[in-house]
Amino acid sequence: MKKFFAALGVLLLVGGITGCSRSQELPDDFDENEVKKAAEEVIDLVNAGEYEKLTEEKWNAQLKTALPAEKMSEEIQPVIEELGAFESIENEAVAGGEDKDTEQEFAVVVVKAKYEERKVQFTISFDKNMKTAGFFIK
């Protein structure tokens, strides 16, 4: 359980990328279905433990620095294993966000997923290049 809270702490820091934003409607530059699909792909890679592929193909430059594959493997994998087998996505919500300092717009997806042992919520944000800019799990 200690590992769970340690991993959660790391993700809280990374989730702070979108925490400094204000919520709004999805910006016109984003397609809701594309954003949902991208979030599902991120979750699939996390569930499969394919952290190298995830960070190389899906993370933006800032997230690669904040949450590299090695850290994902060390801190997230034990959490995913504790959850048991992935069962389904129960709910998805999409919104927009904007960083107050840079005025950069983001798409933010909140996904509630059911696993064998319990449910979790992923909050994943994407920049205009559809690269993951924030990742949070609770």
Side-chain angles (χ1 to χ4, degrees), residues 67-134:
L67 191 59
E70 300 79 31
K71 188 172 255 183
M72 292 280 295
S73 181
E74 292 170 7
E75 299 184 14
I76 305 307
Q77 186 62 34
V79 174
I80 296 299
E81 288 172 0
E82 272 186 37
L83 294 173
F86 173 78
E87 294 183 357
S88 65
I89 289 177
E90 294 193 330
N91 194 347
E92 294 173 294
V94 179
E98 182 179 283
D99 186 297
K100 288 186 268 186
D101 297 327
T102 66
E103 296 183 3
Q104 182 178 6
E105 293 181 314
F106 294 95
V108 181
V109 185
V110 177
V111 178
K112 292 185 180 180
K114 182 178 179 187
Y115 287 80
E116 186 176 39
E117 297 298 321
R118 65 180 172 269
K119 296 177 185 180
V120 297
Q121 178 177 296
F122 293 92
T123 304
I124 306 169
S125 61
F126 296 94
D127 62 23
K128 288 186 179 186
N129 297 318
M130 289 308 295
K131 293 292 186 180
T132 307

Side-chain angles (χ1 to χ4, degrees), residues 29-104:
D29 295 342
F30 294 96
D31 176 75
E32 183 173 346
N33 290 327
E34 183 181 353
V35 172
K36 285 181 180 179
K37 183 180 179 211
E40 291 169 11
E41 289 171 358
V42 167
I43 292 168
D44 287 344
L45 290 170
V46 169
N47 288 333
E50 294 186 35
Y51 304 120
E52 196 68 43
K53 182 176 182 178
L54 179 66
T55 57
E56 288 305 311
E57 294 181 11
K58 304 292 183 183
W59 273 192
N60 70 8
Q62 292 86 0
L63 196 54
K64 281 181 188 179
T65 301
L67 191 59
E70 300 79 31
K71 188 172 255 183
M72 292 280 295
S73 181
E74 292 170 7
E75 299 184 14
I76 305 307
Q77 186 62 34
V79 174
I80 296 299
E81 288 172 0
E82 272 186 37
L83 294 173
F86 173 78
E87 294 183 357
S88 65
I89 289 177
E90 294 193 330
N91 194 347
E92 294 173 294
V94 179
E98 182 179 283
D99 186 297
K100 288 186 268 186
D101 297 327
T102 66
E103 296 183 3
Q104 182 178 6

